[in-house]
Amino acid sequence: MPARRIVISLTERRLHLLEEGHPPRSFPVAIGRPGVAIPLEDSRVLRKRRNPTWHPTANQRRENPALPASVPPGPSNPLGKFALDLGWTAIAIHGTNDPDSVGRRASGGCFRLLPADIATLFEMVPVGTPVRVVSGPAIVPAPQPAIAVAVPAALPTLTPPPSPLPTVAPPPLPILPDPRCATAGAPLRRMICTMPDLAALDGRARGLHQRHLAALPAERRDAAAYALLQEERRFDDRITARCWVRRGMEEDPAVAAAAEACLRDALNVRLEEAKRR
C-alpha cells in the first residue's frame, strides 16, 4: 500500500488524505453535478499547477458559448490558485472561486476544494500520489491502539506508603448562553443555538471568556471585551466558510451532517483555547 494516497468518497463528498503512520486528513469537496460522469477507479496526480490557467473543454463551450477560450489566473478563475491534474481527461483536484459550491454536486467533473484546503493539500501531495474515487464511504484506517508495556513489580517497602491526598474534582465549567439566540439569523449561529451539544460547547467557551474578563483589572476590561467580540466575529466568518454552513443545507442530509461535525470540532478547539487563557 502506498505511504500516502488520496481517497475521494462521492457519498461523503469528502477527500481523504491517508498516510501511513499519520492521522488521516479530510476535506469537503464539490463533485460532478447530476448527469456528469464521474470515474470510479484509480488514478494518480500527474501534474501540479500553481496559479493555473483554466481552459474550458469543447463540451463546456458548446453548453455555454459565452465561455472564453481560457481564463488566466486571478479571482475569476474557477480553478482557484492551485490544481492537481489527474490521469483522467480534463479532471483535476483544484480550488474554486465559488466556496459555496463545496460540499455539493456542482462541478463539471472535477473535485473542488475550499481555497485554504487546496493550499494545504497542494503542499502535502507530490506528483505520483495515487488517487482513488469510490461511490460509498471511504475506509479510513482506525488509530492504532497503544502498546501495553509491562512494568516490573515494585520492590517491597519497609514503610507503608503515605495515604493519598483526597481527590478534589475541578469546578464545573461555567456555561454562558448566547443572548443572540433569540434572534439569531446567521446560519452558523442558528445552528449552534438549535443544537444543545453545540450550544453547550459555545456556552462553556463564552463562560470562560467571561471569567477571564472578570479577573482583569477594571481599566483593561473594556478593551479585552472588545477584543473577544472581534475574535468571535472572525471565528464565525472563518468557520462558516470552512464548514460550508449556509442556508438551505438541511435539504441535503449529508452536507448538513458534515457541517455539524466540522462545527463541533471547531467549537471544541475554541473551548480548549479558552481554557488556556
Side-chain angles (χ1 to χ4, degrees):
M1 183 177 294
R4 181 177 294 174
R5 65 194 191 281
I6 290 172
V7 179
I8 300 172
S9 166
L10 303 185
T11 299
E12 299 171 336
R13 297 179 196 172
R14 296 191 76 83
L15 180 151
H16 302 275
L17 178 62
L18 309 178
E19 184 173 5
E20 189 174 342
H22 295 270
R25 301 286 298 270
S26 180
F27 308 98
V29 295
I31 63 174
R33 59 182 175 270
V36 172
I38 304 174
L40 295 174
E41 53 190 54
D42 294 344
S43 185
R44 62 184 57 251
V45 176
L46 296 185
R47 181 173 59 157
K48 297 173 63 173
R49 289 185 289 155
R50 192 184 298 268
N51 295 319
T53 295
W54 179 52
H55 298 277
T57 64
N59 187 51
Q60 288 171 326
R61 297 191 69 191
R62 277 194 299 271
E63 292 177 355
N64 184 1
L67 286 176
S70 65
V71 178
S76 299
N77 190 315
L79 300 183
K81 294 183 178 181
F82 304 95
L84 303 173
D85 294 325
L86 305 179
W88 302 300
T89 302
I91 294 182
I93 299 168
H94 59 75
T96 182
N97 61 350
D98 181 15
D100 281 349
S101 68
V102 175
R104 299 182 178 184
R105 298 196 63 178
S107 79
C110 291
F111 303 101
R112 301 177 188 169
L113 275 73
L114 292 169
D117 291 343
I118 187 62
T120 298
L121 188 69
F122 190 87
E123 297 301 328
M124 297 182 69
V125 170
V127 170
T129 299
V131 177
R132 171 170 292 181
V133 179
V134 297
S135 59
I139 301 175
V140 178
Q144 295 297 316
I147 299 174
V149 178
V151 179
L155 295 174
T157 57
L158 298 178
T159 56
S163 300
L165 295 175
T167 302
V168 179
L173 294 178
I175 297 180
L176 185 63
D178 188 346
R180 297 169 295 176
C181 281
T183 58
L188 182 132
R189 278 291 135 192
R190 193 166 63 247
M191 190 174 184
I192 291 174
C193 292
T194 56
M195 295 188 173
D197 61 326
L198 300 185
L201 289 171
D202 182 67
R204 289 190 179 97
R206 194 180 299 279
L208 288 173
H209 289 160
Q210 193 63 35
R211 179 188 289 177
H212 168 71
L213 290 175
L216 292 176
E219 63 272 14
R220 293 177 51 197
R221 207 166 292 155
D222 288 346
Y226 180 75
L228 282 173
L229 178 62
Q230 295 301 311
E231 180 183 303
E232 183 174 52
R233 288 174 177 170
R234 288 192 296 270
F235 172 86
D236 284 9
D237 291 343
R238 185 175 70 253
I239 301 306
T240 294
R242 181 166 185 80
C243 296
W244 66 102
V245 178
R246 60 177 69 86
R247 299 182 193 279
M249 67 180 179
E250 60 274 4
E251 297 174 4
D252 189 325
V255 172
E260 180 184 344
C262 176
L263 179 54
R264 183 176 292 104
D265 289 344
L267 288 171
N268 272 306
V269 170
R270 181 166 171 254
L271 177 58
E272 292 304 314
E273 291 174 349
K275 291 177 183 178
R276 292 194 293 268
R277 283 188 181 273

